């Protein structure tokens, strides 16, 4: 699954912003979705954003490396929720701290993170295939049909 080794950083920066907006909107418009989707959508989108952020930051790395790093980071954040101290709990009480660090450990969040990062790998694979197709068509244009 070694896909891209060089990414357009502006594409991934845009994807980070889009997913961030979608994630924040998912909380605001939660009444439009079934309850089982609301339980997991935010965490899945958070992990997808982390994947795209890693693609942006480490744009020359292979997809496998990016996915593993994003998954390790996401799991570390979730596992850190088992630790409770006054300083980190007060940080979690802020809006940004709560969004980044979360509030409490849930096994289902680990599944959501895995799905979100898997979706990121799938999206990147589709982008790569589209790019390869475009590149091939430019290099080998079809003759006009008469």
């Amino acid at each position: 699954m070694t896909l891209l080794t060089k990414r357009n950083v502006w594409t991934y920066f845009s994807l980070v912003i889009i997913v961030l907006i979608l994630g924040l909107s998912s909380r605001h418009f939660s009444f439009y979705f079934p309850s089982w989707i609301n339980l997991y959508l935010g965490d899945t989108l958070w992990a997808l954003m982390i994947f795209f952020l890693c693609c942006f930051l480490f744009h020359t790395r292979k997809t496998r490396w990016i996915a593993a790093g994003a998954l390790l980071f996401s799991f570390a954040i979730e596992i850190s929720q088992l630790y409770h101290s006054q300083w980190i709990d007060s940080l979690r009480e802020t809006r940004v701290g709560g969004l980044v660090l979360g509030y409490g450990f849930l096994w289902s969040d680990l599944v959501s993170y895995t799905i979100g990062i898997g979706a990121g790998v799938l999206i990147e694979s589709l982008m790569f295939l589209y790019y390869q197709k475009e590149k091939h068509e430019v290099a080998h244009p079809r003759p006009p049909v008469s």
Side-chain angles (χ1 to χ4, degrees):
M1 184 186 317
T2 303
L3 296 178
L4 294 176
T5 55
K6 181 140 172 92
R7 297 168 177 86
N8 182 323
V9 293
W10 296 111
T11 299
Y12 286 90
F13 179 75
S14 300
L15 288 170
V16 168
I17 299 302
I18 289 167
V19 175
L20 176 66
I21 291 169
L22 287 173
L24 293 173
S25 298
S26 73
R27 290 177 179 243
H28 185 70
F29 297 107
S30 62
F31 54 89
Y32 288 114
F33 302 114
S35 61
W36 64 273
I37 289 180
N38 285 327
L39 287 174
Y40 308 110
L41 184 59
D43 292 320
T44 304
L45 289 172
W46 184 85
L48 180 61
M49 182 192 70
I50 294 299
F51 175 78
F52 289 143
L53 184 62
C54 289
C55 289
F56 172 76
L57 294 173
F58 307 106
H59 55 90
T60 59
R61 294 291 199 155
K62 294 183 183 340
T63 302
R64 179 181 297 153
W65 190 92
I66 299 276
L71 200 58
L72 284 173
F73 177 79
S74 299
F75 279 27
I77 292 292
E78 187 65 25
I79 291 168
S80 76
Q81 294 172 19
L82 293 170
Y83 174 73
H84 291 282
S85 181
Q86 196 270 332
W87 72 271
I88 198 163
D89 286 342
S90 63
L91 186 60
R92 286 182 177 125
E93 289 175 7
T94 66
R95 182 172 178 102
V96 173
L99 289 172
V100 173
L101 298 174
Y103 300 102
F105 178 84
L106 293 171
W107 287 102
S108 61
D109 288 352
L110 299 177
V111 175
S112 296
Y113 299 156
T114 304
I115 291 170
I117 292 168
V121 171
L122 178 64
I123 291 167
E124 182 171 83
S125 301
L126 295 173
M127 287 172 30
F128 178 69
L129 290 173
Y130 178 77
Y131 171 74
Q132 287 295 91
K133 182 180 175 188
E134 288 286 315
K135 187 176 165 184
H136 178 74
E137 288 178 1
V138 168
H140 307 289
R142 293 182 182 169
V145 179
S146 38

